[in-house]
Amino acid sequence: MNFYDQLKQEMEDLEQSGLLVTIRTLEGPQGAWININDKKFLNLCSNNYLGLANDKRLKDAAIKAIEKWGVGPGAVRTIAGTMKIHEELEKKLAEFKKVEATLVVQSGFNANQAVIPTITSEEDAILSDELNHASIIDGVRLSKAKRYVWKHKDLNSLEEQLKQAANCRRKLIITDGVFSMDGDIAPLPGIVELAKKYDALVMIDDAHGEGVLGKNGRGIADHFNLTDEVDIEIGTLSKAFGIVGGFISGKKQLIDFLKQRARPFLFSSSLSPAETGAALEAVNILSESEQLVNRLWDNARYFQQKIKDMGYDIGVTETPITPVMIYDEKKTKEFSFELYEKGIFASAIVYPTVPKGKARIRVMISAVHSKEDLDFALEKFEYLGKKFSII
Ligand SMILES: *Cc1c(COP(=O)(O)O)cnc(C)c1O
């Protein structure tokens, strides 16, 4: 079989096992409603928590930055690609996060690659929650450190693994802040306690906590009042911040070291001026007012209460991520299809993204949804829940 026949075979296998992804194309900007194939859909799947992806102030800031700095950075940060606007963003993010320093890279995915293999080697241990995001897993794969996987959110399991890693030089505990499929939050106070006891470092990837948790959306460390106890925090500019890009928060010593050694920083060009300018404005908006964060939470509480009252199970969520549990894979796909027919875009999440028999419709609530939008969705969920004998 030649290469293309092999690909054909592998694609057919994906289709047979129901793993083929359908890519839908938006015909306009992100928002509460989106256009697909000339039809309007209520958008319940984006990470645009605060509606900043199409915000006037961010767009104006991006245009201004283009006028002043051009469209491309021209080089990697260490050669000629560091502009004043990048350093301004890093300073502003550090103030916002209440940390000594931050480093901005091209994405949250890259931020994990920039940190994990750079600060660990053969003599070290990485302790990773079993449900950590793919970008953490790939970052760990790039490291030569020993790997210890602990059971999801289970502090006893983490402690056992820490004991096994006792003789390693550095022990790096890594966890998602908010887990994206269930919306549950990492047990940060317990993790910090164990890190102290076993002399380990704490690294938290706050992609879904940024702009959602903590005062003014400062994130999970602020939420638990543990900013000074977290050694490394990964952030993304692509979710609540509404743009694209990633950043690392920590002590100045860590950031200075990463600037010397982190490969995505050294070998891939910096953020474009437009993204950087828009990100600066996003931080301004969050710093000025809690209005958007409050609206997000009001919407989330409203939707979650109503859907629970209907008799749905929404699992263990503690955030605006709302997994509407249907359990059966086939039923979930049909449900999602019928929602789509009724003008609602919400993703069906099935095995292998979540365990077998834990299929769900994942509803992402945003500050841009109006109560009428949420009621529209609730009405369809009620109708289909009865039709499918779920409620
Ligand atoms: C989404 C996500 C990322 C990737 O962020 P990008 O900026 O889109 O690359 C990394 N980590 C976690 C936990 C995420 O949820």
Side-chain angles (χ1 to χ4, degrees), residues 183-387:
D184 51 341
I185 299 180
L188 193 55
I191 292 173
V192 163
E193 213 170 286
L194 285 175
K196 279 194 179 140
K197 185 168 168 192
Y198 291 91
D199 190 27
L201 295 161
V202 177
M203 171 169 166
I204 188 145
D205 180 340
D206 204 24
H208 282 279
E210 218 89 58
V212 176
L213 295 173
K215 188 154 171 37
N216 293 72
R218 283 192 171 78
I220 189 172
D222 184 81
H223 168 79
F224 284 115
N225 226 340
L226 288 169
T227 302
D228 295 337
E229 314 293 334
V230 171
D231 297 282
I232 304 153
E233 200 181 285
I234 299 299
T236 177
L237 301 174
S238 71
K239 291 181 176 137
F241 282 77
I243 316 156
V244 77
F247 62 101
I248 302 138
S249 305
K251 292 224 185 312
K252 184 171 178 301
Q253 254 188 300
L254 168 77
I255 301 302
D256 284 344
F257 181 73
L258 293 176
K259 282 183 181 169
Q260 299 300 317
R261 305 298 299 165
R263 294 170 74 84
F265 185 79
L266 296 173
F267 298 111
S268 183
S269 294
S270 35
L271 274 198
S272 75
E275 291 157 339
T276 315
L280 272 161
E281 196 58 15
V283 184
N284 285 340
I285 289 174
L286 281 172
S287 309
E288 278 166 20
S289 153
E290 295 211 84
Q291 200 190 342
L292 284 176
V293 180
N294 289 342
R295 200 179 303 154
L296 167 68
W297 279 95
D298 278 351
N299 278 349
R301 288 193 190 103
Y302 179 81
F303 185 86
Q304 291 181 351
Q305 191 57 52
K306 293 259 175 174
I307 202 143
K308 273 196 290 193
D309 290 347
M310 277 177 202
Y312 277 106
D313 172 6
I314 57 167
V316 291
T317 185
E318 302 166 79
T319 61
I321 296 171
T322 310
V324 179
M325 302 302 299
I326 297 180
Y327 301 102
D328 181 76
E329 279 77 21
K330 198 162 162 269
K331 221 182 205 181
T332 305
K333 284 190 180 160
E334 285 167 13
F335 195 103
S336 159
F337 180 77
E338 293 214 16
L339 277 175
Y340 191 75
E341 295 272 283
K342 295 192 177 311
I344 293 183
F345 192 26
S347 28
I349 311 252
V350 298
Y351 177 81
T353 309
V354 292
K356 272 207 174 106
K358 288 272 176 82
R360 79 265 327 247
I361 304 287
R362 189 179 62 153
V363 173
M364 299 296 279
I365 303 291
S366 161
V368 286
H369 291 126
S370 66
K371 284 274 162 16
E372 292 72 43
D373 293 338
L374 299 175
D375 286 340
F376 175 80
L378 286 162
E379 186 195 310
K380 308 297 180 230
F381 269 97
E382 186 162 32
Y383 171 79
L384 290 175
K386 284 179 183 150
K387 179 172 172 188

Side-chain angles (χ1 to χ4, degrees), residues 12-30:
E12 279 165 13
D13 291 349
L14 285 176
E15 185 159 23
Q16 294 259 305
S17 37
L19 296 179
L20 209 57
V21 179
T22 315
I23 297 176
R24 308 225 193 252
T25 306
L26 273 63
E27 288 154 358
Q30 276 295 337

Side-chain angles (χ1 to χ4, degrees), residues 60-71 85 272-278:
D60 288 347
I63 291 164
K64 256 195 171 154
I66 288 176
E67 280 165 355
K68 184 158 180 195
W69 301 99
V71 288
I85 193 170
S272 75
E275 291 157 339
T276 315

